[in-house]
Amino acid sequence: MSLLPTTSIAAIAGYADQTVTLAGWVYHKTDKGKLIFIQLRDGSGTLQCVVSKKQVPEAAFAAAQQLTQESSCRMTGLVRADARAAGGFELDVQAVQLVGASPDYPISPKDHGVEFLMEHRQLWVRSARQHALLRVRAEVIAAAQEWLNAQGFIRFDSPILTATAAEGTSNLFATEYFDLGTAYLAQTGQLYVEAGMMAFGKVYCFGPTFRAEKSKTRRHLTEFWMLEPEVAFATHDDNLRLQEDFVSALVQRVIERRSADLQVLERDTSILARCLPPFPRISYDDALKLIEANQGAIEGATPLTWGDDLGAPHEQLIASQFDRPVFVERYPAALKAFYMQPDPQRPEVALCADLLAPEGYGEIIGGSERIHDAALLEQRIRDHGLSVEAYQWYLDLRRYGTVPHSGFGMGIERVVAWITGTRHIRETIPFPRMLYRIYP
Ligand code: 4AD
Ligand code: MG
């Protein structure tokens, strides 16, 4: 015998005037004596279930009385259209079966501090807001992969245990690796997708990436998920065009398919709807001028000298000048990773760009054209104090049929934070890992 329900709450409209069995958890209960109203949630949605003392056997009514917040249960009843009900339907309950009790559920509808909720993350993910956020996350991930697949990209998975660094050596998580020395948790899959790109032309990897960053900001996780496309023969400009088409497609799909969740999150979607290509581009040099000209507009966005990195307030100031995401391109090469192609006209800058989200959500993408010349790449590896020996396999990609190529990495949590209008990225991943959090 199966315990599965007849239908999900999301599909309830197809069952009007039919008797169904639903299975789920009690989100909320109101006991009015002879009538009990139960908000049942089953993961796909919530539905008001009405248990009337007059209409159900005594045992069923007693079972309904026993239900507490987050008890799991199965309910059988008649689906009735009701214009007043949220979603347009209610269930007139005929039978109730308790499956798992839930005495003293720790998260009540009253306000809890975020630390308390984070300590109970395993339960918090059931709450309406968290549920909506994580659904949007799932949609972004599905949309990203489907869009890339439709454009002829091949998913090419990169390893998590790696022997070398790619994004600096100061933020590596290290672990012993048998007799082979130290292994590091991948900061990026990029170097490996470059190998895939030479095999398949257009590839992407998608997986968790790790940075032992001691930064306690609302944008940093120590474990985050990154999607990294890489394209053979693509120049820096091709790369930017791909990114704007990609990001706008993701946003439009979330608006289209997850509007109910965005509503729960009270997200103003008119700002998102404007996220259409082309996105504005501004050079690092012009960004410095813009910061200079707008002194005092945003706290902390103080003028910079050429060669300084942009801080979060600077990014916020730049983004505030535009109504959609903006590319900041051609940073000083010294600020960026060793593999970035220098601008042939101006070798002190790299053919790279960061994509800044509107409304102060900061950098959501980092990307660049890659160095395709073996000698120059080897020189850069040395300049960065890295071991040329360890990168022989990567240099091989430039020794055997090298081509100009470009790619980028998009952090899923930052994108979800922006799309959903969530200040802190810790809520955009089921179990965030941060400087001060490894539990649960
Ligand atoms: O700019 P980043 O460091 O670029 C790379 O890792 C390249 N190898 C990507 C590539 O070209 N294939 O990181 C890319 C993106 C950032 O724009 C941001 O969205 C996200 O990854 N990111 C983080 N997200 C959360 N927490 C952190 N600590 C992050 N660090 C980077
Ligand atoms: Mg970056």
Side-chain angles (χ1 to χ4, degrees), residues 3 39 48 57 100 136 138 246 278 291 316 332-333 344 387 404:
L3 290 174
Q39 290 289 329
Q48 167 135 295
V136 171
F246 178 61
I291 291 162
Q316 195 182 338
S387 144

Side-chain angles (χ1 to χ4, degrees), residues 1 12 50 70 110 122 137 167 174 176-177 204 209 229 232 263 295-296 301 305 312 354 357 397-398 403 430 433:
M1 196 196 97
I12 203 77
V50 186
E70 290 302 320
K110 74 160 199 260
Q122 70 282 9
R137 176 189 172 96
E167 299 293 334
E176 294 295 300
Y177 197 79
Y204 65 94
T209 41
Q263 219 171 331
Q295 281 186 55
T305 37
D354 285 356
L397 306 177
R398 278 73 181 168
V403 292
R433 298 293 175 242

Side-chain angles (χ1 to χ4, degrees), residues 8 15 33 71 74 135-136 171 200 244 269 306 355 363:
S8 68
Y15 292 82
S71 303
R74 301 174 81 243
R135 262 196 186 266
V136 171
N171 60 7
F200 297 93
E244 63 194 6
T269 53
W306 201 91
L355 183 63
E363 177 197 331

Side-chain angles (χ1 to χ4, degrees), residues 290-302:
L290 194 117
I291 291 162
E292 174 101 49
N294 288 277
Q295 281 186 55
I298 292 202
E299 203 190 318
T302 47

Side-chain angles (χ1 to χ4, degrees), residues 223-242:
E223 176 179 310
F224 63 96
W225 287 63
M226 185 153 57
L227 196 131
E228 300 182 80
E230 194 73 30
V231 180
F233 301 101
T235 61
H236 171 64
D237 289 326
D238 296 327
N239 199 22
L240 300 197
R241 274 196 295 277
L242 175 66

Side-chain angles (χ1 to χ4, degrees), residues 109-189:
K110 74 160 199 260
D111 261 358
H112 297 282
V114 74
E115 273 312 303
F116 176 88
L117 293 167
M118 273 294 164
E119 279 302 293
H120 294 83
R121 185 67 174 161
Q122 70 282 9
L123 303 177
W124 192 22
V125 293
R126 304 180 188 190
S127 302
R129 206 188 124 76
Q130 299 307 311
H131 193 263
L133 277 170
L134 295 176
R135 262 196 186 266
V136 171
R137 176 189 172 96
E139 189 70 42
V140 167
I141 291 170
Q145 298 198 71
E146 285 166 28
W147 192 87
L148 290 169
N149 293 346
Q151 307 277 323
F153 283 75
I154 300 288
R155 178 168 166 156
F156 184 86
D157 296 315
S158 55
I160 287 172
L161 288 166
T162 60
T164 49
E167 299 293 334
T169 48
S170 62
N171 60 7
L172 287 165
F173 280 111
T175 181
E176 294 295 300
Y177 197 79
F178 308 110
D179 295 334
L180 298 182
T182 308
Y184 305 102
L185 298 184
Q187 300 159 303
T188 168

Side-chain angles (χ1 to χ4, degrees), residues 416-437:
V416 173
W418 161 52
I419 293 179
T420 57
T422 305
R423 236 184 88 76
H424 201 300
I425 65 170
R426 66 190 159 204
E427 292 179 37
T428 62
I429 182 165
F431 293 96
R433 298 293 175 242
M434 295 173 287
L435 186 51
Y436 295 111
R437 180 156 302 282

Side-chain angles (χ1 to χ4, degrees), residues 21 59 82 115 152 158 214 226 258 261 267 273 279 288 354 390:
T21 297
D82 187 328
E115 273 312 303
S158 55
K214 294 221 160 129
M226 185 153 57
R258 303 275 27 123
D261 295 313
R267 182 63 166 130
F279 294 169
L288 292 200
D354 285 356

